[in-house]
Amino acid sequence: MAQLDSDPYGLLGRERELAAVDAFLARAETDGAALLLTGEPGVGKSAILDAAARTASIGGWRVVRGGGVEYETDVSFAGLHQLVDQLTDELVQLPAASREALQVALGLGSGSAPDRLTLLQASLALLRQAATETPLLVVIDDMHWLDRATASVIGFVGRRLQGSRIGLLGATRPSAGGFFERTGWPELGVHPLDDDHAMELLAHQFAHLPTRVLREVAHEAQGNPLALLEFAAAAGHPRTGRRAAPGAAAATIREVRSLYATRIGCLPPPTRRLLLIAALDGSGSLSTLAEGSGSAGLSDLGPAEHDHLVMVDERAGEIRFRHPMIKSALVELSTHDDRREAHQRLAEIFADQPERRGHHVAEAAEAPDETVAAVIEEGAQRTLQRGDVVGAVTRLLRAADLSPDRSARSRRMAHAAFIGAFAAGELQSSSQLLRDARRRDPTLGETLEAAVATAYMLLNSDGDATVAHRFLTAAIDTALTEPDHDREALSRGLYTLVVMCHYAGRVEYWEDYDDLVARMGTSAPADAILLTETFAAPLTASPSMLAALDRQIEQLDDTLDVELIIRTAIASFYTDRLAGCRRALDRVARDGRESGAAASALMALSMMTFDHLAAGRWHAAERTAADAGALAEELGYRLYDSSRTYATALIAARRGDLEACTAESEAMLVWAAPRQLGRLEDFAHHALGEAALGAGAFEDAYAHATAIGGPGSLHTHDPQALWSALDLVDAALHTGRADEARAHAEALHAADPGRLSPRFAMVATAALAMVAPDDTAADLFDEALAVPGTEVWPFELSRVRLAYGERLRRLRRTRDARVQLEAARDGFDRLGALLWSQRASTELRATGAARRTGVAGGVAALTPQELEVAQLAARGMSNREIATRLYVSPRTVSAHLYRTFPKLGITSRAALRDALSDPSTDPSTDPSIDSAR
């Protein structure tokens, strides 16, 4: 790699900076790197960028340049457009999803709106594609003036260059504000020149000036290279009227700006007007400028070129200002009418570009005007389609400000509020927007936009489903009677209503929802229908809809569309298809918060938690749940946090941590009860029921299972009952409720859940086996265990083996029972399901399984039946409960305990737990157990 250009006059005194940039290029050439130059205006950052670009070009690099524009900060992706324009060949080589996302975002194509994460990753993919054959250097000046959307892209890319051959070199001013976040970027401060180098520069450039004047200039310029050159040039032209600066850095910059203002003031009025259009446009396009100049063309640029204020590159079709201060000075010297006229002219030029037109119309507007507001709103919609959520909200609010009609103003504010809450997770600021809108228009609550926004925020913050459902349903009902209703708002409304009905868990809510969808018929949004069938009512999901879901899942690895990923994962939740969404969800969770899609990241984390839980990765599930909880707390999404609580409670239940399970479940019940959120109550009962089953507390388990749904009942819109169906059958059998167990097993089988997944096929068949007559039970159990693919659900598989082993032992098929019980015990052990493992071990010992060698003491003296009774009694079960569990009489239980106490050396029931858990006497703690398995 060649060393940086060290022009002794252009870059005097920059040895330290040049060495640092040279090292940066060396790193970037092999493993990718980013570097940010910081320094005051005029200190020489751009000169260093130029030197780096020249050296990279000489070394065989490809160089792409761009920069922020002061008056384009609210034009979405203006900066990114500069870069992509130079990479058109690479753009067409990207995968379709990435290419289309960039084309739509930049206005180069049409299509559905890409989400922010899609666009971020597509931008990174484009740069990596450009660096395939040669290293790529991306140079971006004035990063403090990048528009918000581009700043997000550049910040994202700069932190993900490892393993590439991309160098990202930028420059910004310290404490300049703007949208660019420096987090994760190494910085290099560029400082003023020392006195010796300042004098050397002046002596070379202005040898005709007396040394005394040069010293004065050097003192006033304070080492700022731009000030040195401008002050020295002004010293040779008394007409500029330059006065001595006070000496401070800020004053030096003001003095330079003053010099530019003086030179601009000397230009002819037509030239100033043309330069103002160029400054406010920001694209640097000569064709735009020529159109803005009217019949005069570009001839009026001559005086500005002669005075070196601008540089015109006709071959590239671009005009560049010598320094950004010139543009600032131009705008400051212009009048209000000058600026309005320039913006109006630009709005006419960009009549076919809604976003840019909306920007200039907004800047030119003086008073509320519905035509103007509609143009700005159209631009806001395009901004949203480009993935810039914040920019869309900003434009919608500007459209609201310029709306003369009160209802239109409030409607636009409500739309902005929904976008902010749904996409970015900004519940607090969005709520404030709605409050402001209602103060202006008391009738706002009647609009669909406001109803959707309010319902979404109420549901996710306060969990108030009752109020939210009432006015959202009414708003959707009203919208359906309007022939020109907003289909996008209706789609958002239905999505929110599905989520609301799910968490509320009320039959009447689902009936209202189904009526609304039925009224829409074939015009109902496809994504709403998919959620209705798969998430809301999986037991009645049609084969065609499941096939459509499978096709959608197959596309997830090739898509970067966050909304598609989240909606697909939600549809997969109760149909056992989350594993297919795993990689896509991981991408959303990993990058969502940084890209601004924090609410999407939260949902992804919640669903990843359940994927880990189902697959037996319980430690990973705990970590992911913790991440989801932290993000939910940060965003204030209390309702979504209930999914994290549910998963945590289930993990604790299956591990046998009864205290943790109870604490998490009670927290859900306490929060859900006053809000009438039935689904959260189902969550809690499911977790508590599994904990009770593991502990052998079957009466409690039955109570929890039937709290979700009665025996023999599987309501269409109650997917939680599907998840807990085996719990009810298991608990009913162990509490002597054979008829109830049979009714539920038959109802489950009749629902045919096996078409959803192998897990449900196994569970439904196993439930039938548990209630089947003795002569058919074993065949049904074998059929359940023969279902292909059930190994990916290890907890349910071990439960079925445990039930099979229990039944075989009752049938006195001892050897066969041991096979199933050992497999169940080993499976539970691998998972860390302590109490379930003990259940299996108790059954195993009751078969008379050979004891491990080396075991002695009181426990070893117990018969299998005595040990089983003692362990159940130690868990707190009564004699009657133990009798029901073991299919013996309470008198037999008493007899076993009578013989057990003296063998263990105890005199009371309270001492059983300690005696059985003594590691010196408990066979389950003997290391030889594992070696004998």
Side-chain angles (χ1 to χ4, degrees), residues 262-460:
T262 300
R263 291 161 64 184
I264 291 169
C266 296
L267 296 173
T271 301
R272 291 202 302 271
R273 286 194 294 270
L274 195 56
L275 291 180
L276 181 60
I277 291 177
L280 295 178
D281 169 37
S283 67
S285 168
L286 283 178
S287 61
T288 298
L289 195 57
E291 192 173 351
S293 67
S295 59
L298 299 176
S299 59
D300 289 327
L301 280 180
E305 279 192 278
H306 294 152
D307 200 19
H308 303 290
L309 293 172
V310 298
M311 295 171 285
V312 177
D313 186 343
E314 294 181 355
R315 187 170 60 178
E318 291 181 349
I319 177 176
R320 286 182 294 167
F321 288 88
R322 184 182 174 196
H323 194 275
M325 285 188 199
I326 299 172
K327 289 189 289 185
S328 300
L330 270 166
V331 176
E332 290 172 3
L333 290 172
S334 65
T335 66
H336 175 68
D337 287 342
D338 291 337
R339 292 191 295 275
R340 283 192 64 245
E341 182 181 348
H343 280 299
Q344 287 172 345
R345 188 73 188 101
L346 287 166
E348 294 170 0
I349 294 171
F350 298 128
D352 60 343
Q353 300 181 42
E355 187 178 3
R356 299 188 75 176
R357 181 190 179 206
H359 164 71
H360 291 294
V361 166
E363 292 297 322
E366 287 189 300
D369 184 305
E370 179 56 30
T371 301
V372 171
V375 169
I376 299 171
E377 183 176 21
E378 183 183 4
Q381 294 292 350
R382 183 61 63 89
T383 301
L384 185 61
Q385 291 172 1
R386 293 187 178 197
D388 182 5
V389 174
V390 178
V393 171
T394 300
R395 283 173 168 73
L396 280 170
L397 294 178
R398 178 58 174 156
D401 287 340
L402 292 172
S403 303
D405 181 72
R406 186 173 61 178
S407 62
R409 179 172 62 246
S410 299
R411 174 183 60 79
R412 286 162 177 148
M413 293 181 73
H415 189 187
F418 178 81
I419 293 172
F422 178 77
E426 297 288 344
L427 292 178
Q428 185 173 356
S429 58
S430 296
S431 296
Q432 183 61 50
L433 279 178
L434 278 179
R435 287 194 293 271
D436 291 345
R438 286 198 178 90
R439 279 199 299 270
R440 300 183 182 190
D441 181 10
T443 66
L444 175 65
E446 300 173 5
T447 68
L448 179 57
E449 292 83 356
V452 172
T454 303
Y456 187 85
M457 287 182 283
L458 279 175
L459 193 62
N460 286 288

Side-chain angles (χ1 to χ4, degrees), residues 757-771:
S757 76
R759 173 174 69 146
F760 290 132
M762 175 181 67
V763 166
T765 305
L768 274 185
M770 292 167 70
V771 301

